[in-house]
Amino acid sequence: MTLVKQKVLAMNGDEAVAYAVKQSDVDVVAAYPITPQTIIVERFSEYVHNGEVDTEFVCVESEHSALTACLAASAVGARAFTATASAGLALMHEILFVTSGCRAPVVMAVVNRALSAPINIHCDHSDAMAERDSGWIQIYAENSQEAYDSVIQAFRIAEHTDVLLPVMIGLDGFFLSHTLENVKVLPDETVRNFVGTRKFPLVKSHEGKLVPFRLDPENPITIGPLALFDYYFEIKRQQEEAMRKALPIIKQVHDEYAGISGRRYGNGLIDAYRLEDAEIAAVCLGSTAGTVKTVVDELRSKGIKAGLLRLRTFRPLPTEEIKNALANVKAVGVMDRACSFGGFGGPVFHEVRHVLYDLQTRPHVSNYIYGLGGRDTSPMMIHQIYQDLQQIVETNRVEKPVQFIGVRE
Amino acid sequence: MSEWKFTAKEIAEKPELFASGHRACAGCVPATVHRLVLKAARGPIIASHATGCIEVSSTIYPYTAWRIPWIHTAFENVAANASGIETALKVLRRKGKIKNEHVDVVAFAGDGGTYDIGIQALSGAAERGHDFLYVLYDNEAYMNTGIQRSGGTPHGAWTTTSPAGKVIPGKPQFKKPIAEIMVAHEIPYVATASPFYWKDLIAKARKGLEAEGPAFLHVIAPCPRGWRFPTEKGIELSRLAVETCVFPLWEAVDGEYRLSAPSKVIALKPERKKPVKEYLKIQGRFRHLFTPEHEHVISEIQEIVDKRWKRLLKKCGIA
């Protein structure tokens, strides 16, 4: 694979997503506006109204219908995309499970925003974390460039016949969605070739024939039947299997894309920064990683062995990669931009700490809940986390396993 | 719209797209309604279903009664399913990704999935003008969950959430005029139908499929379990609903109302209009009304039926 010549466009994260969708030969977009996702649907509407895409855009009356229409379109064989945030994702909750259960490879951009109440339009991860178990692949972008690249990759991952699962691309509300960035874009044709056309696995129809898995009058199949205690469990088990199979495919698609774009995000699953010899490490998702990297560089310049593990793919959870990346770290600070009220720390903390339990010698793991409702996360706060980790290493104990950073207590 | 002419023989010879062997209850009129609607198919067709009796009883995995492509996703969103299907067919045909022939789209939902939880998606799909036929099979309560009242349950009816209590005898509210709400959406075709008048029903389903844009077919579909009547009485009740003007038959083409033949006869010969009592007395769900303390509810039902009938006649340019 040879690198392709690319254009640089000044775009915010939402525009980058819309641009990626424009290039990906999407058949149906059904979406409903919600801050901070709105720019995606606005830009895409312009593409449609100016005849720049051959896509049907359905301006539905709710997010519930947005995802339903995408799911149904996908069942007919269309490549379908939607985008939402916060309350919109929450309204889709029911259909998120139906989409993954029907094995419809819908791609969705989630512009991560806090959930009400109080109502708040700014970034945190409570929306997507609440859908952690909905059977969707979840990839979180660090910057708008990655949002663009990930949307293109998402179609390939979702539609891979070993996967057939919907994919959510998370990008931090306002931090990415509304912030101008230089985004390198591939030529239209390159993207079109990369995403290719949808392939359909063969399934056994009720007439006993092997037919493509889609609603086709010539080969009728029933999608979304009633399955009770005698079959439901096997169908769910298959979904879990598909998630496992997605792990190498996410990497493979990421590598292939890197071959033409020259851009890598770790190995596609995790993105380790100065972690090889690190003694203390933060773990985070999304745009915060940029700030953390700056802090890591500052600490390194002072001889402190700090590192960062950014989880790019949160579902399926790359357990082996996380384990290997953090095995030799002495103290791990997991950053959560969401709360699990009444639980023991935030959702990312649960997962990371849980994965590390299997190690013979385990690092100390502490949790830092930060940035809810768009609260600014300054380098100073990140320094505070690393100082805490240093203290954990020195005292060899975790005083406070769960802390809230940057909040008036 | 040109009229599709057909004979009973032709209908009998058409394939059964809704196969027998499903697990609907004995005497289920909604199942008959589905069978009749699909007799109107004019070519390739994709169906979608809201959660409900027929959805669950026709697709118990690994079996299915659907000889056509069929999808169910949830309860409140069948019109959004249809929107997605119709949109996908349009764009895939345009791009040459599927064969260049027309595929009809039909959405089925019960009263709960239409009057109540599904009305938002339905209204949205109608406003956007998707080309599909929406069939409401109205058995006038949430029968799938065990007979709970819906916006389609008639006044005075017993259900498990509008019990025939000592203080409140059945459902206090009246049935929502859903078909007229759909006419107000200014869609090309809205009609009501009854399976007793099966030819009328099939012809209307066909017109709904042929209409370019959203079409809405409201079918009365008596439920022996929920309405409490013997299983052989379903079609008779479908007839009485029309003869009493509880459920008059009409269609609105581009917003122009006109009575269908079975109701037109009554409009022209008002002496043929039967009292609602004849319809109510066969049904256990109205049994509590036939007592001295609740008899006034029957008069209330008669009043609303008369009022609505009069209003309909006006809309049809009669009276």
Side-chain angles (χ1 to χ4, degrees), chain A residues 137-168:
Chain A
I137 289 171
Q138 288 197 349
I139 292 171
Y140 291 82
E142 181 181 332
N143 47 46
S144 300
Q145 179 70 67
E146 189 179 357
Y148 167 83
D149 294 332
S150 302
V151 166
I152 296 167
Q153 293 171 24
F155 291 107
R156 281 281 300 276
I157 298 162
E159 293 170 11
H160 195 291
T161 51
D162 287 344
V163 177
L164 275 190
L165 289 174
V167 178
M168 253 180 230

PDB file of all heavy atoms in Angstrom, chain A residues 137-168:
ATOM      1  N   ILE A 137     -19.934  -1.539  19.152  1.00  0.00           N
ATOM      2  CA  ILE A 137     -18.505  -1.273  19.226  1.00  0.00           C
ATOM      3  C   ILE A 137     -18.361   0.205  19.569  1.00  0.00           C
ATOM      4  O   ILE A 137     -19.099   1.044  19.037  1.00  0.00           O
ATOM      5  CB  ILE A 137     -17.839  -1.625  17.879  1.00  0.00           C
ATOM      6  CG1 ILE A 137     -17.831  -3.146  17.712  1.00  0.00           C
ATOM      7  CG2 ILE A 137     -16.431  -1.030  17.783  1.00  0.00           C
ATOM      8  CD1 ILE A 137     -17.395  -3.626  16.340  1.00  0.00           C
ATOM      9  N   GLN A 138     -17.465   0.525  20.508  1.00  0.00           N
ATOM     10  CA  GLN A 138     -17.255   1.934  20.881  1.00  0.00           C
ATOM     11  C   GLN A 138     -15.801   2.326  20.658  1.00  0.00           C
ATOM     12  O   GLN A 138     -14.903   1.721  21.243  1.00  0.00           O
ATOM     13  CB  GLN A 138     -17.592   2.165  22.354  1.00  0.00           C
ATOM     14  CG  GLN A 138     -19.072   2.111  22.676  1.00  0.00           C
ATOM     15  CD  GLN A 138     -19.386   2.739  24.044  1.00  0.00           C
ATOM     16  OE1 GLN A 138     -18.492   3.032  24.836  1.00  0.00           O
ATOM     17  NE2 GLN A 138     -20.663   2.963  24.312  1.00  0.00           N
ATOM     18  N   ILE A 139     -15.619   3.335  19.816  1.00  0.00           N
ATOM     19  CA  ILE A 139     -14.280   3.876  19.563  1.00  0.00           C
ATOM     20  C   ILE A 139     -14.309   5.354  19.917  1.00  0.00           C
ATOM     21  O   ILE A 139     -15.252   6.064  19.536  1.00  0.00           O
ATOM     22  CB  ILE A 139     -13.875   3.655  18.086  1.00  0.00           C
ATOM     23  CG1 ILE A 139     -13.669   2.152  17.820  1.00  0.00           C
ATOM     24  CG2 ILE A 139     -12.619   4.456  17.718  1.00  0.00           C
ATOM     25  CD1 ILE A 139     -13.471   1.778  16.362  1.00  0.00           C
ATOM     26  N   TYR A 140     -13.331   5.817  20.681  1.00  0.00           N
ATOM     27  CA  TYR A 140     -13.280   7.224  21.109  1.00  0.00           C
ATOM     28  C   TYR A 140     -12.116   7.929  20.424  1.00  0.00           C
ATOM     29  O   TYR A 140     -10.987   7.453  20.472  1.00  0.00           O
ATOM     30  CB  TYR A 140     -13.120   7.315  22.629  1.00  0.00           C
ATOM     31  CG  TYR A 140     -14.353   6.867  23.373  1.00  0.00           C
ATOM     32  CD1 TYR A 140     -14.604   5.509  23.600  1.00  0.00           C
ATOM     33  CD2 TYR A 140     -15.284   7.791  23.840  1.00  0.00           C
ATOM     34  CE1 TYR A 140     -15.744   5.084  24.274  1.00  0.00           C
ATOM     35  CE2 TYR A 140     -16.433   7.383  24.521  1.00  0.00           C
ATOM     36  CZ  TYR A 140     -16.650   6.030  24.734  1.00  0.00           C
ATOM     37  OH  TYR A 140     -17.781   5.620  25.396  1.00  0.00           O
ATOM     38  N   ALA A 141     -12.418   9.062  19.792  1.00  0.00           N
ATOM     39  CA  ALA A 141     -11.388   9.803  19.058  1.00  0.00           C
ATOM     40  C   ALA A 141     -10.724  10.841  19.956  1.00  0.00           C
ATOM     41  O   ALA A 141     -11.368  11.447  20.805  1.00  0.00           O
ATOM     42  CB  ALA A 141     -12.015  10.491  17.850  1.00  0.00           C
ATOM     43  N   GLU A 142      -9.420  11.020  19.713  1.00  0.00           N
ATOM     44  CA  GLU A 142      -8.678  12.008  20.503  1.00  0.00           C
ATOM     45  C   GLU A 142      -8.798  13.401  19.891  1.00  0.00           C
ATOM     46  O   GLU A 142      -8.765  14.408  20.573  1.00  0.00           O
ATOM     47  CB  GLU A 142      -7.198  11.607  20.590  1.00  0.00           C
ATOM     48  CG  GLU A 142      -6.373  12.572  21.428  1.00  0.00           C
ATOM     49  CD  GLU A 142      -4.900  12.182  21.483  1.00  0.00           C
ATOM     50  OE1 GLU A 142      -4.591  10.986  21.356  1.00  0.00           O
ATOM     51  OE2 GLU A 142      -4.066  13.081  21.676  1.00  0.00           O
ATOM     52  N   ASN A 143      -8.877  13.455  18.564  1.00  0.00           N
ATOM     53  CA  ASN A 143      -8.962  14.746  17.893  1.00  0.00           C
ATOM     54  C   ASN A 143      -9.834  14.612  16.642  1.00  0.00           C
ATOM     55  O   ASN A 143     -10.287  13.519  16.308  1.00  0.00           O
ATOM     56  CB  ASN A 143      -7.550  15.257  17.532  1.00  0.00           C
ATOM     57  CG  ASN A 143      -6.723  14.149  16.879  1.00  0.00           C
ATOM     58  OD1 ASN A 143      -7.223  13.451  15.993  1.00  0.00           O
ATOM     59  ND2 ASN A 143      -5.495  13.974  17.326  1.00  0.00           N
ATOM     60  N   SER A 144     -10.037  15.710  15.971  1.00  0.00           N
ATOM     61  CA  SER A 144     -10.958  15.704  14.830  1.00  0.00           C
ATOM     62  C   SER A 144     -10.409  14.855  13.685  1.00  0.00           C
ATOM     63  O   SER A 144     -11.169  14.239  12.935  1.00  0.00           O
ATOM     64  CB  SER A 144     -11.205  17.132  14.353  1.00  0.00           C
ATOM     65  OG  SER A 144     -11.768  17.863  15.411  1.00  0.00           O
ATOM     66  N   GLN A 145      -9.090  14.852  13.550  1.00  0.00           N
ATOM     67  CA  GLN A 145      -8.473  14.016  12.525  1.00  0.00           C
ATOM     68  C   GLN A 145      -8.836  12.549  12.755  1.00  0.00           C
ATOM     69  O   GLN A 145      -9.216  11.835  11.839  1.00  0.00           O
ATOM     70  CB  GLN A 145      -6.941  14.180  12.575  1.00  0.00           C
ATOM     71  CG  GLN A 145      -6.203  13.335  11.565  1.00  0.00           C
ATOM     72  CD  GLN A 145      -6.422  13.821  10.132  1.00  0.00           C
ATOM     73  OE1 GLN A 145      -5.979  14.903   9.788  1.00  0.00           O
ATOM     74  NE2 GLN A 145      -7.109  13.020   9.331  1.00  0.00           N
ATOM     75  N   GLU A 146      -8.739  12.163  14.007  1.00  0.00           N
ATOM     76  CA  GLU A 146      -9.054  10.766  14.331  1.00  0.00           C
ATOM     77  C   GLU A 146     -10.550  10.492  14.156  1.00  0.00           C
ATOM     78  O   GLU A 146     -10.940   9.385  13.761  1.00  0.00           O
ATOM     79  CB  GLU A 146      -8.610  10.423  15.751  1.00  0.00           C
ATOM     80  CG  GLU A 146      -8.726   8.924  16.021  1.00  0.00           C
ATOM     81  CD  GLU A 146      -8.272   8.515  17.417  1.00  0.00           C
ATOM     82  OE1 GLU A 146      -7.807   9.378  18.193  1.00  0.00           O
ATOM     83  OE2 GLU A 146      -8.403   7.323  17.730  1.00  0.00           O
ATOM     84  N   ALA A 147     -11.376  11.497  14.440  1.00  0.00           N
ATOM     85  CA  ALA A 147     -12.819  11.318  14.243  1.00  0.00           C
ATOM     86  C   ALA A 147     -13.090  11.037  12.764  1.00  0.00           C
ATOM     87  O   ALA A 147     -13.835  10.116  12.411  1.00  0.00           O
ATOM     88  CB  ALA A 147     -13.574  12.553  14.713  1.00  0.00           C
ATOM     89  N   TYR A 148     -12.449  11.833  11.907  1.00  0.00           N
ATOM     90  CA  TYR A 148     -12.587  11.635  10.452  1.00  0.00           C
ATOM     91  C   TYR A 148     -12.121  10.227  10.056  1.00  0.00           C
ATOM     92  O   TYR A 148     -12.845   9.474   9.400  1.00  0.00           O
ATOM     93  CB  TYR A 148     -11.774  12.708   9.719  1.00  0.00           C
ATOM     94  CG  TYR A 148     -11.565  12.445   8.245  1.00  0.00           C
ATOM     95  CD1 TYR A 148     -12.541  12.785   7.316  1.00  0.00           C
ATOM     96  CD2 TYR A 148     -10.385  11.846   7.785  1.00  0.00           C
ATOM     97  CE1 TYR A 148     -12.359  12.534   5.954  1.00  0.00           C
ATOM     98  CE2 TYR A 148     -10.191  11.597   6.435  1.00  0.00           C
ATOM     99  CZ  TYR A 148     -11.178  11.938   5.523  1.00  0.00           C
ATOM    100  OH  TYR A 148     -10.999  11.683   4.190  1.00  0.00           O
ATOM    101  N   ASP A 149     -10.924   9.881  10.481  1.00  0.00           N
ATOM    102  CA  ASP A 149     -10.352   8.586  10.101  1.00  0.00           C
ATOM    103  C   ASP A 149     -11.188   7.430  10.639  1.00  0.00           C
ATOM    104  O   ASP A 149     -11.390   6.415   9.961  1.00  0.00           O
ATOM    105  CB  ASP A 149      -8.914   8.475  10.636  1.00  0.00           C
ATOM    106  CG  ASP A 149      -7.963   9.470   9.974  1.00  0.00           C
ATOM    107  OD1 ASP A 149      -8.213   9.843   8.805  1.00  0.00           O
ATOM    108  OD2 ASP A 149      -6.979   9.881  10.616  1.00  0.00           O
ATOM    109  N   SER A 150     -11.677   7.605  11.864  1.00  0.00           N
ATOM    110  CA  SER A 150     -12.402   6.502  12.524  1.00  0.00           C
ATOM    111  C   SER A 150     -13.761   6.250  11.891  1.00  0.00           C
ATOM    112  O   SER A 150     -14.213   5.105  11.844  1.00  0.00           O
ATOM    113  CB  SER A 150     -12.572   6.803  14.016  1.00  0.00           C
ATOM    114  OG  SER A 150     -11.315   6.994  14.622  1.00  0.00           O
ATOM    115  N   VAL A 151     -14.421   7.309  11.446  1.00  0.00           N
ATOM    116  CA  VAL A 151     -15.729   7.106  10.808  1.00  0.00           C
ATOM    117  C   VAL A 151     -15.557   6.259   9.544  1.00  0.00           C
ATOM    118  O   VAL A 151     -16.329   5.322   9.301  1.00  0.00           O
ATOM    119  CB  VAL A 151     -16.414   8.462  10.499  1.00  0.00           C
ATOM    120  CG1 VAL A 151     -17.598   8.281   9.550  1.00  0.00           C
ATOM    121  CG2 VAL A 151     -16.879   9.134  11.791  1.00  0.00           C
ATOM    122  N   ILE A 152     -14.530   6.563   8.783  1.00  0.00           N
ATOM    123  CA  ILE A 152     -14.277   5.795   7.553  1.00  0.00           C
ATOM    124  C   ILE A 152     -13.982   4.335   7.898  1.00  0.00           C
ATOM    125  O   ILE A 152     -14.539   3.410   7.294  1.00  0.00           O
ATOM    126  CB  ILE A 152     -13.122   6.434   6.741  1.00  0.00           C
ATOM    127  CG1 ILE A 152     -13.540   7.836   6.266  1.00  0.00           C
ATOM    128  CG2 ILE A 152     -12.713   5.546   5.572  1.00  0.00           C
ATOM    129  CD1 ILE A 152     -12.398   8.680   5.730  1.00  0.00           C
ATOM    130  N   GLN A 153     -13.130   4.151   8.901  1.00  0.00           N
ATOM    131  CA  GLN A 153     -12.800   2.779   9.318  1.00  0.00           C
ATOM    132  C   GLN A 153     -14.030   2.043   9.854  1.00  0.00           C
ATOM    133  O   GLN A 153     -14.173   0.828   9.689  1.00  0.00           O
ATOM    134  CB  GLN A 153     -11.712   2.805  10.401  1.00  0.00           C
ATOM    135  CG  GLN A 153     -10.369   3.295   9.888  1.00  0.00           C
ATOM    136  CD  GLN A 153      -9.368   3.523  11.019  1.00  0.00           C
ATOM    137  OE1 GLN A 153      -9.477   2.933  12.086  1.00  0.00           O
ATOM    138  NE2 GLN A 153      -8.396   4.385  10.790  1.00  0.00           N
ATOM    139  N   ALA A 154     -14.917   2.796  10.501  1.00  0.00           N
ATOM    140  CA  ALA A 154     -16.079   2.185  11.168  1.00  0.00           C
ATOM    141  C   ALA A 154     -16.957   1.386  10.206  1.00  0.00           C
ATOM    142  O   ALA A 154     -17.471   0.324  10.555  1.00  0.00           O
ATOM    143  CB  ALA A 154     -16.897   3.254  11.871  1.00  0.00           C
ATOM    144  N   PHE A 155     -17.117   1.910   8.989  1.00  0.00           N
ATOM    145  CA  PHE A 155     -17.967   1.185   8.027  1.00  0.00           C
ATOM    146  C   PHE A 155     -17.375  -0.186   7.699  1.00  0.00           C
ATOM    147  O   PHE A 155     -18.083  -1.178   7.592  1.00  0.00           O
ATOM    148  CB  PHE A 155     -18.166   2.020   6.752  1.00  0.00           C
ATOM    149  CG  PHE A 155     -19.009   3.247   6.994  1.00  0.00           C
ATOM    150  CD1 PHE A 155     -18.438   4.513   7.010  1.00  0.00           C
ATOM    151  CD2 PHE A 155     -20.370   3.133   7.222  1.00  0.00           C
ATOM    152  CE1 PHE A 155     -19.207   5.646   7.250  1.00  0.00           C
ATOM    153  CE2 PHE A 155     -21.150   4.257   7.460  1.00  0.00           C
ATOM    154  CZ  PHE A 155     -20.566   5.513   7.474  1.00  0.00           C
ATOM    155  N   ARG A 156     -16.053  -0.199   7.555  1.00  0.00           N
ATOM    156  CA  ARG A 156     -15.383  -1.465   7.237  1.00  0.00           C
ATOM    157  C   ARG A 156     -15.493  -2.464   8.391  1.00  0.00           C
ATOM    158  O   ARG A 156     -15.698  -3.662   8.189  1.00  0.00           O
ATOM    159  CB  ARG A 156     -13.907  -1.201   6.924  1.00  0.00           C
ATOM    160  CG  ARG A 156     -13.652  -0.681   5.530  1.00  0.00           C
ATOM    161  CD  ARG A 156     -13.690  -1.807   4.497  1.00  0.00           C
ATOM    162  NE  ARG A 156     -12.683  -2.820   4.772  1.00  0.00           N
ATOM    163  CZ  ARG A 156     -11.405  -2.744   4.392  1.00  0.00           C
ATOM    164  NH1 ARG A 156     -10.993  -1.713   3.669  1.00  0.00           N
ATOM    165  NH2 ARG A 156     -10.553  -3.689   4.697  1.00  0.00           N
ATOM    166  N   ILE A 157     -15.348  -1.949   9.608  1.00  0.00           N
ATOM    167  CA  ILE A 157     -15.422  -2.826  10.791  1.00  0.00           C
ATOM    168  C   ILE A 157     -16.841  -3.368  10.948  1.00  0.00           C
ATOM    169  O   ILE A 157     -17.059  -4.566  11.070  1.00  0.00           O
ATOM    170  CB  ILE A 157     -14.998  -2.043  12.057  1.00  0.00           C
ATOM    171  CG1 ILE A 157     -13.546  -1.565  11.942  1.00  0.00           C
ATOM    172  CG2 ILE A 157     -15.203  -2.884  13.309  1.00  0.00           C
ATOM    173  CD1 ILE A 157     -13.168  -0.448  12.909  1.00  0.00           C
ATOM    174  N   ALA A 158     -17.815  -2.437  10.928  1.00  0.00           N
ATOM    175  CA  ALA A 158     -19.213  -2.818  11.165  1.00  0.00           C
ATOM    176  C   ALA A 158     -19.686  -3.844  10.146  1.00  0.00           C
ATOM    177  O   ALA A 158     -20.358  -4.819  10.489  1.00  0.00           O
ATOM    178  CB  ALA A 158     -20.095  -1.579  11.120  1.00  0.00           C
ATOM    179  N   GLU A 159     -19.326  -3.608   8.886  1.00  0.00           N
ATOM    180  CA  GLU A 159     -19.873  -4.429   7.804  1.00  0.00           C
ATOM    181  C   GLU A 159     -19.086  -5.718   7.551  1.00  0.00           C
ATOM    182  O   GLU A 159     -19.498  -6.542   6.741  1.00  0.00           O
ATOM    183  CB  GLU A 159     -19.924  -3.591   6.506  1.00  0.00           C
ATOM    184  CG  GLU A 159     -20.930  -2.451   6.591  1.00  0.00           C
ATOM    185  CD  GLU A 159     -20.816  -1.467   5.426  1.00  0.00           C
ATOM    186  OE1 GLU A 159     -20.110  -1.778   4.441  1.00  0.00           O
ATOM    187  OE2 GLU A 159     -21.425  -0.387   5.513  1.00  0.00           O
ATOM    188  N   HIS A 160     -17.957  -5.868   8.231  1.00  0.00           N
ATOM    189  CA  HIS A 160     -17.182  -7.103   8.071  1.00  0.00           C
ATOM    190  C   HIS A 160     -18.092  -8.275   8.434  1.00  0.00           C
ATOM    191  O   HIS A 160     -18.726  -8.279   9.488  1.00  0.00           O
ATOM    192  CB  HIS A 160     -15.957  -7.077   8.987  1.00  0.00           C
ATOM    193  CG  HIS A 160     -14.943  -8.117   8.640  1.00  0.00           C
ATOM    194  ND1 HIS A 160     -15.179  -9.463   8.826  1.00  0.00           N
ATOM    195  CD2 HIS A 160     -13.709  -8.021   8.104  1.00  0.00           C
ATOM    196  CE1 HIS A 160     -14.124 -10.144   8.429  1.00  0.00           C
ATOM    197  NE2 HIS A 160     -13.209  -9.295   7.976  1.00  0.00           N
ATOM    198  N   THR A 161     -18.154  -9.278   7.566  1.00  0.00           N
ATOM    199  CA  THR A 161     -19.164 -10.323   7.775  1.00  0.00           C
ATOM    200  C   THR A 161     -18.887 -11.182   9.017  1.00  0.00           C
ATOM    201  O   THR A 161     -19.771 -11.897   9.479  1.00  0.00           O
ATOM    202  CB  THR A 161     -19.324 -11.214   6.528  1.00  0.00           C
ATOM    203  OG1 THR A 161     -18.028 -11.664   6.130  1.00  0.00           O
ATOM    204  CG2 THR A 161     -19.973 -10.456   5.393  1.00  0.00           C
ATOM    205  N   ASP A 162     -17.669 -11.105   9.558  1.00  0.00           N
ATOM    206  CA  ASP A 162     -17.416 -11.797  10.829  1.00  0.00           C
ATOM    207  C   ASP A 162     -17.857 -10.960  12.024  1.00  0.00           C
ATOM    208  O   ASP A 162     -17.850 -11.430  13.156  1.00  0.00           O
ATOM    209  CB  ASP A 162     -15.920 -12.105  10.989  1.00  0.00           C
ATOM    210  CG  ASP A 162     -15.485 -13.236  10.075  1.00  0.00           C
ATOM    211  OD1 ASP A 162     -16.370 -13.959   9.575  1.00  0.00           O
ATOM    212  OD2 ASP A 162     -14.266 -13.377   9.855  1.00  0.00           O
ATOM    213  N   VAL A 163     -18.156  -9.696  11.756  1.00  0.00           N
ATOM    214  CA  VAL A 163     -18.503  -8.786  12.851  1.00  0.00           C
ATOM    215  C   VAL A 163     -20.003  -8.468  12.818  1.00  0.00           C
ATOM    216  O   VAL A 163     -20.749  -8.827  13.724  1.00  0.00           O
ATOM    217  CB  VAL A 163     -17.663  -7.480  12.784  1.00  0.00           C
ATOM    218  CG1 VAL A 163     -18.083  -6.516  13.888  1.00  0.00           C
ATOM    219  CG2 VAL A 163     -16.172  -7.802  12.903  1.00  0.00           C
ATOM    220  N   LEU A 164     -20.452  -7.760  11.790  1.00  0.00           N
ATOM    221  CA  LEU A 164     -21.846  -7.344  11.665  1.00  0.00           C
ATOM    222  C   LEU A 164     -22.388  -6.764  12.964  1.00  0.00           C
ATOM    223  O   LEU A 164     -23.383  -7.251  13.512  1.00  0.00           O
ATOM    224  CB  LEU A 164     -22.731  -8.511  11.226  1.00  0.00           C
ATOM    225  CG  LEU A 164     -22.827  -8.787   9.729  1.00  0.00           C
ATOM    226  CD1 LEU A 164     -23.926  -9.811   9.474  1.00  0.00           C
ATOM    227  CD2 LEU A 164     -23.125  -7.532   8.922  1.00  0.00           C
ATOM    228  N   LEU A 165     -21.713  -5.756  13.438  1.00  0.00           N
ATOM    229  CA  LEU A 165     -22.166  -5.072  14.646  1.00  0.00           C
ATOM    230  C   LEU A 165     -22.143  -3.570  14.389  1.00  0.00           C
ATOM    231  O   LEU A 165     -21.312  -3.082  13.628  1.00  0.00           O
ATOM    232  CB  LEU A 165     -21.230  -5.382  15.821  1.00  0.00           C
ATOM    233  CG  LEU A 165     -21.273  -6.791  16.404  1.00  0.00           C
ATOM    234  CD1 LEU A 165     -20.172  -6.943  17.448  1.00  0.00           C
ATOM    235  CD2 LEU A 165     -22.631  -7.098  17.011  1.00  0.00           C
ATOM    236  N   PRO A 166     -23.046  -2.839  15.026  1.00  0.00           N
ATOM    237  CA  PRO A 166     -23.022  -1.393  14.865  1.00  0.00           C
ATOM    238  C   PRO A 166     -21.828  -0.777  15.596  1.00  0.00           C
ATOM    239  O   PRO A 166     -21.339  -1.337  16.574  1.00  0.00           O
ATOM    240  CB  PRO A 166     -24.338  -0.947  15.502  1.00  0.00           C
ATOM    241  CG  PRO A 166     -24.716  -2.046  16.439  1.00  0.00           C
ATOM    242  CD  PRO A 166     -24.146  -3.312  15.880  1.00  0.00           C
ATOM    243  N   VAL A 167     -21.373   0.353  15.075  1.00  0.00           N
ATOM    244  CA  VAL A 167     -20.184   1.023  15.643  1.00  0.00           C
ATOM    245  C   VAL A 167     -20.520   2.465  16.022  1.00  0.00           C
ATOM    246  O   VAL A 167     -21.111   3.200  15.231  1.00  0.00           O
ATOM    247  CB  VAL A 167     -19.011   1.020  14.635  1.00  0.00           C
ATOM    248  CG1 VAL A 167     -17.801   1.761  15.209  1.00  0.00           C
ATOM    249  CG2 VAL A 167     -18.617  -0.399  14.245  1.00  0.00           C
ATOM    250  N   MET A 168     -20.109   2.836  17.225  1.00  0.00           N
ATOM    251  CA  MET A 168     -20.220   4.215  17.700  1.00  0.00           C
ATOM    252  C   MET A 168     -18.840   4.847  17.690  1.00  0.00           C
ATOM    253  O   MET A 168     -17.900   4.256  18.219  1.00  0.00           O
ATOM    254  CB  MET A 168     -20.585   4.183  19.193  1.00  0.00           C
ATOM    255  CG  MET A 168     -21.969   4.548  19.555  1.00  0.00           C
ATOM    256  SD  MET A 168     -22.131   4.417  21.367  1.00  0.00           S
ATOM    257  CE  MET A 168     -23.620   3.440  21.414  1.00  0.00           C
TER     258      MET A 168
END
